[in-house]
Amino acid sequence: MKKCPYCGFENQEPTPRCPECGGYYSKIIELIDQAAAEEEKNSGAARYRRIIQSGNIKQAIISEIRQIVDGLSGQAKLTLWVVFVFVFALVFAF
Ligand SMILES: [Zn+2]
């Protein structure tokens, strides 16, 4: 039985979090959970869901793209830019 360090709730279940206040019993579990949540947030399905659920789909798509671009390294941005210019040239050059 674990006692929550935040609210003092005595938990009978072997869960990593307090069912009362949602506090974590272990710092490591908290970090792992946060990493998993971050991963889930950045997954394609989650992005799609956020775009669909938002009232303004166009705005949501722009904001998601901005997030993706912000997450890229300089090298990746350059590659993306070159690919974009190349496709643009192919479409409009002929
Ligand atoms: Zn608690």
Side-chain angles (χ1 to χ4, degrees):
M1 189 168 69
K2 284 176 271 187
K3 198 170 176 196
C4 177
Y6 305 103
C7 70
F9 179 79
E10 290 185 346
N11 189 7
Q12 313 285 340
E13 309 294 325
T15 58
R17 293 179 74 173
C18 173
E20 271 297 294
C21 70
Y24 289 87
Y25 298 123
S26 155
K27 188 71 189 163
I28 291 163
I29 301 276
E30 181 178 352
L31 292 176
I32 291 169
D33 248 37
Q34 281 172 356
E38 190 66 25
E39 194 118 314
E40 153 69 21
K41 206 180 89 195
N42 291 328
S43 76
R47 285 189 198 285
Y48 180 74
R49 215 178 307 125
R50 277 203 300 273
I51 289 168
I52 294 302
Q53 282 170 354
S54 80
N56 188 339
I57 290 190
K58 199 172 143 196
Q59 193 60 46
I61 289 171
I62 290 168
S63 130
E64 292 295 330
I65 289 172
R66 196 166 297 152
Q67 272 182 40
I68 293 167
V69 171
D70 281 351
L72 295 174
S73 69
Q75 184 66 48
K77 268 181 205 164
L78 186 69
T79 307
L80 208 64
W81 174 242
V82 169
V83 169
F84 180 77
V85 168
F86 189 70
V87 170
F88 191 81
L90 277 179
V91 170
F92 291 100
F94 303 103

